[in-house]
Amino acid sequence: MNLIRTAIDRPVAVMAAVILAVLFGMVALQTIPIQLTPDLRRPVIQISTNWGGAAPAEVEREIINRQEEALKGLEGLKRMVGRARDGNGEITLEFEVGQNMDKALLLVANRLDRVNGYPDEADEPTLRTSGADDNSIAWFRLTRAVGNDKPIHTFGDFASDVVKERMERVPGVGRVDVYGGGEREMRVVVDPAKMARYGLTVPEVVDRLRAANASITGGDVEEGKRRYIVRTDNEFKTPEQVRAVLLRSDKSGGGGNSGRIGRVTIDDIATVQFDYKDPVARIRTLGIEAIALSVKRETGANVIETMQGLREAVAELKQGVLPRAEMEMEQLYDETIYINSSIDLVIQNIWVGGSLAVIILLIFLRSGRATMVIALAIPVSVIASFVAMAALGRSLNVVSLAGIAFAVGMVVDAAIVVLENIYRLRQNGLPVKEAAYRGAQQVWGAILVSALTTVMVFIPILIMQLDVGQLFRDIAVAISVAVLLSLLVSITVIPALSQRLLGHEVAAKGAGFRLPIIDDFGAWFVRMSTGLAAAVVRNKLLAIGLVVVLTTITGLATWKFLPKLEYLPKGNQNLIIGFILPPPGYNLETTSEIAQDLENAVRPHWAIETGPESAEGEPPKMQHFFFVTFREWTIVGARSLDGRRAGELIPVLSEPVFREPGTFGTMSQRSIFGRGVRGSRSIDLDISGPDLQEVINVALRAVGKISQVLPQSEGNQFRPRPGLELGAPEVRIKPDPVRLADNGVTARDLGDTVDAFNDGLRVAEITVGSERMDLMLAGPDANIGQTQGINSLPVVTQSGAIVPLQSLADVVVTSGPTAIRHVERERTVTLELKPAEKLALGEALEMLDTQVVEKLREEGLPPGLRLRFSGAADKLVETWNEMRIDLLMALIIVFLVMAVLFESFVYPLIIMLSVPLATGGGVAGLVVLNQFYFQPLDMLTLLGFV
């Protein structure tokens, strides 16, 4: 069936099909998920294991090493990174692209089941897969209302049990994380003197408590028609049950001077009460202590709808439970604001681009009806493409909308070719119906080749599995679908409309109104181009020479002036994120003071303090400022009132960071393409080896060279992970075996006693009501305030005596690591570098490789020590190598498609000669841009060359 003839003969059917396509497109638009960026499915599994109070070295020895030993050799495992820090061990497993993550998760869980010998106080490891939805779509803060004087961390359970629970019931919400709260616990505070009186030691009390906290099934009993389940139920649910635990029942006495003893319970030696754990983080937003909640969406959820549900949930909380708890809630970050602004900007560009395309058509065609015919191809192709996007499971985001914006100028190409040929035939006197048919039939092969080659170019992008391929797949889908639809429109809608709108007499060539400057330039350009074409056709030597010269010049220009490589464009959000790394060993109170010094320094830039207007030449005012302090580091964040000038806040935040001696800090504007708070422009230099001190020594040498190659004064930033010295102060207790034996105390008994009387010993996890909490055993003076106090910690012996710790062991104040990092099971220090904005990532990587890494190797490295790049640098090299292969594949595919359609290799070869010419022109444009504006060759720009 001749599609062109059918469209001409049945214009009403064509118009009905167009209306249906537009209607289906509008319906599909309502179902497509809306989000900021496309989903990234990274083959990553994270394993986290908590062990309260444990030092990094203990976590490494008892947890990380055991788990890494079990996980080595996993099928498809590409990289394994472990980290041990105070109270927590974490392992990140990165698998090869294309790995079946369901299978990988099952294999990891099975391997972890083989690990045994965990410390009694350690929790079971938890697993989760990592994805693009790890970035929060919203942040909220909980603060105390006026008159509420309770410590903010005591509302941690309220935030988790009430606020979090309500927010997680919103459709589309995947997870809500709570920061800044302290968990509720039941604390048994023992009196050492009473323990000694009854001859009880800490391990004995712990054993009795653990043995008493039991719930055991005892089978069943059948009586008559009924079946009864038998259970021994003695799980602790109330403090009264804990107080009643029997520690000793001995008619002959308990030892020492205790005399005859009947029964001794917990109530005889301790008080039992509810309490709260000390917070592991402190949060302040605009000078107010708070609890923060971050909301993460489910993969594929519509962010706009999810955020609307969250607003309704928050409004419900504000009207009900929050006032009763004397709490207030405020939203600090809303991703939909950036989504809406980005989408509005892209839509505005689509309108402006479409309008400019119509104006250009009107200028050249000089016919309102002809322009209307072609302009109709834009909305039809764009809106109908939403149907295909919904069917393919794509989302509406800044990347897919950018693809549609690119397609606006491409969908009119085929329509212009068809209508121009129809118009030409009408000017030659053909009847309108015949002109419409012949005009489309004569050129449909050419526009088919053009459309297919455009689509085929994106095949390598569609099958690319790396992050860049997943990010830019939406562009490929949007452009490909729009271009194919425009091909269909050009051979059906355009001929059908032409016979209706061009049925009158058309103007002859040169007729109509004149535009003096444009027409004169057009006439000159036509004379020059046609004259050159005529000369090339007449003189074969000139033709060959012209092709050789242009190809050579553009090829050399491409090779010589190729801009430096970048990984991804910035696309920065209105959010500044920074890290502050204090000297090792600082406690939470000190790191909070450092952060508060920064807060005081930037307070004059807060809009709520000094008004929204900023003086001329001054940076914009801050809409929000917050910091989150941990023992090891501090996270700082700020948002600007003027989102376009958010980057100007970086110097304001950076300057006060370095006032504290030995403090490192990095500040950067968050990119929409970056994951988490690190962004997409970090170069990680991993220094790994068996001996941690040698690793640190080499890292210090590397830092000295980096400071010369990429000085911080020029805007370059770096921070070490975990640290550059074993400087974390540590009190090390070395038991004396003879003195221990003389007092009947084992090293394990001594360790449990120190743990209980200093920081609290975790006995078990219990359920009170519906709440799970820890049962802790502690001394009356928990949290020793001075190191000398460790010497005087009471140790109750089995004989009923109380002896100070220093009589059983030597107490030495020394130093140890604040955290221990593993890469491929080797101890590692990672130097995270962020080049200045004016320095491309590829150029910075080349400088570091030649002027830092190679020189370190020339100077000599300790045996077994390795240097390697990771992070965005590793992805840059990997992606660039694959993109070059994909570009070559695209050229081959396009050449073969044209060879099939033309049934010849000559014509495709001639057409392919235009590739280096166009590429050279594009490179020349980038070179010019680099003179005025830093414009490296990132992966999105490279996609533009495709």
Side-chain angles (χ1 to χ4, degrees):
M1 181 178 63
N2 193 320
L3 185 60
I4 301 174
R5 177 67 70 184
T6 303
I8 295 173
D9 292 338
R10 299 180 179 179
V12 176
V14 172
M15 290 301 99
V18 169
I19 295 173
L20 281 176
V22 173
L23 289 177
F24 279 121
M26 299 296 292
V27 173
L29 184 60
Q30 304 302 317
T31 63
I32 298 177
I34 300 175
Q35 56 196 61
L36 184 60
T37 57
D39 287 326
L40 283 181
R41 303 186 184 277
R42 299 183 64 225
V44 171
I45 295 176
Q46 292 180 338
I47 305 164
S48 181
T49 309
N50 292 323
W51 180 12
E58 294 174 322
V59 174
E60 179 195 36
R61 181 182 66 251
E62 301 295 336
I63 295 178
I64 297 296
N65 287 344
R66 295 172 186 267
Q67 292 177 347
E68 287 182 340
E69 180 68 24
L71 294 170
K72 67 178 182 180
L74 268 173
E75 178 184 345
L77 183 61
K78 180 180 178 182
R79 177 180 166 91
M80 179 163 56
V81 178
R83 183 181 64 175
R85 55 180 180 175
D86 286 338
N88 176 263
E90 184 177 275
I91 295 179
T92 301
L93 304 174
E94 182 177 351
F95 293 85
E96 296 288 349
V97 174
Q99 175 74 25
N100 184 330
M101 293 307 295
D102 291 334
K103 178 181 177 182
L105 195 62
L106 181 61
L107 290 175
V108 171
N110 290 338
R111 293 282 186 104
L112 288 177
D113 287 341
R114 305 176 192 173
V115 181
N116 50 33
Y118 286 129
D120 293 335
E121 294 184 59
D123 296 333
E124 289 293 324
T126 59
L127 285 76
R128 74 180 181 93
T129 56
S130 178
D133 56 327
D134 289 343
N135 289 335
S136 300
I137 63 171
W139 282 85
F140 296 86
R141 75 171 183 181
L142 279 174
T143 56
R144 295 168 293 184
V146 176
N148 184 352
D149 298 327
K150 295 181 181 178
I152 187 65
H153 75 275
T154 61
F155 291 92
D157 286 331
F158 172 79
S160 298
D161 299 338
V162 179
V163 180
K164 173 183 176 180
E165 188 272 336
R166 175 63 184 90
M167 297 173 76
E168 285 186 338
R169 285 194 280 117
V170 174
V173 172
R175 191 173 78 248
V176 177
D177 294 326
V178 180
Y179 302 96
E183 295 180 357
R184 194 167 179 236
E185 65 182 16
M186 186 184 294
R187 183 172 287 257
V188 180
V189 182
V190 296
D191 186 336
K194 293 180 179 179
M195 290 177 61
R197 181 187 310 165
Y198 297 120
L200 294 169
T201 64
V202 167
E204 288 178 342
V205 175
V206 171
D207 290 342
R208 298 293 189 278
L209 285 171
R210 287 175 177 169
N213 181 44
S215 178
I216 302 172
T217 300
D220 57 41
V221 174
E222 294 186 3
E223 179 181 358
K225 298 180 180 180
R226 296 184 178 274
R227 175 176 172 268
Y228 297 87
I229 301 296
V230 179
R231 290 178 57 236
T232 301
D233 184 10
N234 197 50
E235 283 191 343
F236 297 148
K237 298 180 178 64
T238 63
E240 288 73 20
Q241 287 179 288
V242 178
R243 295 190 189 103
V245 171
L246 186 64
L247 298 175
R248 173 166 295 165
S249 178
D250 189 352
K251 295 182 180 180
S252 62
N257 300 320
S258 60
R260 297 180 61 84
I261 300 175
R263 293 182 176 87
V264 180
T265 64
I266 288 291
D267 197 34
D268 295 325
I269 64 168
T271 59
V272 182
Q273 60 194 24
F274 289 109
D275 205 340
Y276 290 89
K277 295 182 182 293
D278 292 332
V280 297
R282 293 183 180 175
I283 300 171
R284 286 172 65 91
T285 61
L286 292 175
I288 302 174
E289 291 185 339
I291 292 176
L293 299 97
S294 71
V295 182
K296 299 174 176 62
R297 68 177 180 88
E298 292 179 341
T299 301
N302 190 315
V303 178
I304 305 297
E305 295 178 357
T306 302
M307 191 59 64
Q308 180 61 33
L310 280 172
R311 295 191 187 100
E312 295 174 359
V314 172
E316 179 184 322
L317 290 169
K318 287 182 177 180
Q319 295 175 0
V321 295
L322 288 175
R324 292 196 294 270
E326 298 183 352
M327 297 293 290
E328 296 178 348
M329 192 171 186
E330 180 184 357
Q331 185 169 358
L332 301 179
Y333 172 72
D334 186 346
E335 191 174 84
T336 59
I337 296 176
Y338 193 80
I339 292 176
N340 290 329
S341 63
S342 300
I343 291 177
D344 290 343
L345 179 61
V346 176
I347 292 176
Q348 178 185 352
N349 291 337
I350 292 175
W351 280 106
V352 172
S355 301
L356 290 176
V358 171
I359 292 173
I360 294 298
L361 290 173
L362 186 60
I363 290 175
F364 279 87
L365 295 178
R366 307 293 171 85
S367 171
R369 295 187 177 187
T371 302
M372 185 186 304
V373 172
I374 297 177
L376 187 62
I378 297 176
V380 172
S381 301
V382 169
I383 296 177
S385 64
F386 291 134
V387 178
M389 292 181 63
L392 294 174
R394 310 315 301 174
S395 62
L396 196 65
N397 52 71
V398 293
V399 176
S400 59
L401 285 175
I404 292 175
F406 297 157
V408 166
M410 303 171 68
V411 297
V412 297
D413 292 346
I416 291 174
V417 172
V418 172
L419 186 63
E420 174 64 21
N421 200 39
I422 295 173
Y423 202 83
R424 178 184 63 83
L425 294 176
R426 285 287 292 128
Q427 287 178 328
N428 292 338
L430 263 67
V432 61
K433 190 171 184 179
E434 186 64 20
Y437 173 72
R438 291 181 59 184
Q441 187 186 44
Q442 288 174 358
V443 298
W444 83 271
I447 61 176
L448 174 64
V449 173
S450 175
L452 288 181
T453 52
T454 301
V455 173
M456 295 302 173
V457 161
F458 290 108
I459 289 179
I461 301 297
L462 293 174
I463 63 177
M464 191 177 184
Q465 295 297 319
L466 297 179
D467 288 358
V468 172
Q470 297 181 57
L471 278 173
F472 298 151
R473 191 167 295 149
D474 283 356
I475 286 184
V477 171
I479 293 179
S480 299
V481 171
V483 168
L484 289 177
L485 286 173
S486 71
L487 171 64
L488 186 61
V489 169
S490 65
I491 62 175
T492 55
V493 179
I494 301 302
L497 285 178
S498 296
Q499 71 163 341
R500 295 281 182 171
L501 299 180
L502 302 181
H504 65 292
E505 293 295 328
V506 297
K509 294 181 179 180
F513 62 91
R514 276 185 57 82
L515 298 175
I517 298 178
I518 295 177
D519 284 352
D520 293 339
F521 174 77
W524 172 82
F525 183 81
V526 169
R527 289 196 303 270
M528 291 295 295
S529 58
T530 55
L532 178 60
V536 169
V537 171
R538 288 193 303 266
N539 192 331
K540 292 184 178 180
L541 185 61
L542 176 62
I544 296 174
L546 185 63
V547 170
V548 171
V549 170
L550 289 178
T551 303
T552 303
I553 292 175
T554 55
L556 290 175
T558 303
W559 175 77
K560 181 68 176 178
F561 300 108
L562 188 70
K564 296 299 182 181
L565 296 178
E566 190 66 69
Y567 180 47
L568 290 171
K570 293 189 297 182
N572 288 328
Q573 299 188 52
N574 181 15
L575 180 62
I576 306 299
I577 288 290
F579 282 97
I580 300 177
L581 191 66
Y586 277 20
N587 56 30
L588 184 59
E589 186 69 29
T590 305
T591 56
S592 299
E593 291 176 0
I594 295 175
Q596 289 187 27
D597 289 342
L598 171 62
E599 177 184 279
N600 295 331
V602 302
R603 186 181 288 268
H605 297 277
W606 296 356
I608 63 170
E609 292 281 341
T610 56
E613 300 295 331
S614 58
E616 185 177 354
E618 293 291 325
K621 293 299 180 65
M622 297 181 188
Q623 182 180 10
H624 284 298
F625 172 85
F626 69 89
F627 68 77
V628 184
T629 56
F630 302 90
R631 294 188 183 97
E632 301 171 13
W633 68 81
T634 298
I635 300 175
V636 177
R639 292 181 61 203
S640 170
L641 276 177
D642 186 354
R644 297 167 298 179
R645 301 175 57 196
E648 298 179 26
L649 295 178
I650 293 179
V652 176
L653 295 168
S654 299
E655 183 179 352
V657 170
F658 302 102
R659 293 176 183 174
E660 183 74 17
T663 299
F664 294 95
T666 61
M667 298 285 172
S668 62
Q669 191 171 359
R670 183 174 177 181
S671 169
I672 64 173
F673 297 113
R675 292 180 49 77
V677 294
R678 291 182 57 200
S680 60
R681 295 196 79 245
S682 63
I683 301 175
D684 292 347
L685 176 58
D686 295 331
I687 304 172
S688 305
D691 186 86
L692 185 57
Q693 187 60 59
E694 290 183 345
V695 169
I696 292 176
N697 293 338
V698 175
L700 290 171
R701 291 164 52 193
V703 168
K705 297 182 184 300
I706 291 172
S707 61
Q708 298 176 0
V709 176
L710 300 175
Q712 292 185 340
S713 59
E714 297 180 1
N716 302 291
Q717 304 181 61
F718 88 95
R719 70 181 181 105
R721 292 186 293 150
L724 292 177
E725 57 185 50
L726 296 175
E730 182 177 296
V731 176
R732 195 166 298 172
I733 300 171
K734 299 182 178 180
D736 186 307
V738 176
R739 285 181 280 177
L740 287 179
D742 291 343
N743 289 272
V745 179
T746 66
R748 182 68 184 181
D749 295 344
L750 183 66
D752 288 344
T753 302
V754 172
D755 191 5
F757 288 144
N758 177 52
D759 195 35
L761 176 64
R762 181 175 180 268
V763 177
E765 188 178 41
I766 62 176
T767 302
V768 178
S770 60
E771 182 182 358
R772 298 289 293 174
M773 65 179 63
D774 288 338
L775 176 65
M776 304 292 295
L777 181 70
D781 299 317
N783 297 320
I784 301 300
Q786 296 180 342
T787 55
Q788 292 85 354
I790 299 295
N791 291 313
S792 303
L793 281 177
V795 179
V796 181
T797 67
Q798 292 182 348
S799 62
I802 300 179
V803 296
L805 176 65
Q806 61 185 354
S807 66
L808 300 176
D810 296 328
V811 180
V812 180
V813 178
T814 180
S815 62
T818 56
I820 301 174
R821 179 178 171 85
H822 284 194
V823 175
E824 298 299 339
R825 305 179 62 202
E826 292 184 329
R827 287 183 165 183
T828 301
V829 170
T830 298
L831 303 180
E832 181 185 315
L833 303 121
K834 291 186 177 179
E837 296 293 337
K838 64 180 180 180
L839 188 64
L841 195 67
E843 186 177 3
L845 179 61
E846 182 180 348
M847 295 170 63
L848 291 171
D849 189 29
T850 56
Q851 302 180 44
V852 176
V853 174
E854 289 187 4
K855 287 189 176 182
L856 286 173
R857 288 171 177 161
E858 291 174 359
E859 295 172 359
L861 297 173
L865 194 139
R866 295 192 297 171
L867 305 176
R868 56 199 165 192
F869 289 106
S870 60
D874 187 41
K875 292 184 179 295
L876 175 66
V877 176
E878 184 180 15
T879 305
W880 175 246
N881 291 334
E882 183 163 342
M883 285 292 285
R884 286 190 296 184
I885 298 174
D886 291 342
L887 283 173
L888 181 60
M889 287 177 58
L891 291 174
I892 295 174
I893 291 172
V894 170
F895 180 82
L896 294 176
V897 169
M898 288 191 296
V900 171
L901 295 176
F902 285 122
E903 298 181 357
S904 170
F905 288 105
V906 177
Y907 297 129
L909 186 60
I910 295 174
I911 296 174
M912 295 298 288
L913 288 175
S914 65
V915 174
L917 302 181
T919 304
V923 171
L926 283 177
V927 172
V928 172
L929 281 176
N930 264 313
Q931 303 301 318
F932 303 98
Y933 177 74
F934 176 64
Q935 186 64 39
L937 182 60
D938 57 50
M939 296 304 162
L940 184 57
T941 310
L942 187 61
L943 185 64
F945 281 113
V946 176

